[in-house]
Amino acid sequence: MKVEIISPSATLFEGEASSVTVPSMMGPFTLLEHHAAIVAILEKGKVSLTDKNGELKEFDIKGGFTENHDNHLTICVEL
C-alpha cells in the first residue's frame, strides 16, 4: 500500500509498506494492504511500519489522524 506520514513541518515517510501500526484512541491497530476504508484519531505513541524491503521504521508522535482509502494510507501527525 502507498503510505504518506506527514507533519506540519516535514514529510516523514512516503513510499510502499506492507503493514502499518498506529496508536489510535481506541487502542493500537495494524493496517495491511487492501484494508477497509477507515478514518481514526491518533494519540501519543509510535507509528511503526514495515516497508516493502522488510525494514521496520518507527516514528514517535504526540497525536494526529489517519485516513485509508483505496490502498492509500495518509497519516497526519504532530511530533
Side-chain angles (χ1 to χ4, degrees):
M1 78 184 110
K2 180 165 174 51
V3 178
E4 292 177 284
I5 303 175
I6 56 176
S7 75
S9 60
T11 298
L12 304 175
F13 179 85
E14 186 171 4
E16 294 288 322
S18 58
S19 69
V20 180
T21 301
V22 295
S24 81
M25 298 287 286
M26 301 294 289
F29 67 92
T30 300
L31 296 104
L32 302 172
E33 293 193 47
H34 306 292
H35 193 283
I38 189 169
V39 174
I41 297 171
L42 304 180
E43 63 181 13
K44 184 177 180 177
K46 285 190 185 294
V47 173
S48 303
L49 69 87
T50 302
D51 68 16
K52 285 293 189 178
N53 298 323
E55 185 177 332
L56 178 66
K57 299 181 184 300
E58 295 185 322
F59 306 91
D60 289 317
I61 66 166
K62 292 181 182 175
F65 68 92
T66 186
E67 186 259 340
N68 182 58
H69 184 67
D70 290 334
N71 217 33
H72 185 161
L73 176 63
T74 303
I75 305 172
C76 299
V77 299
E78 181 181 344
L79 300 175

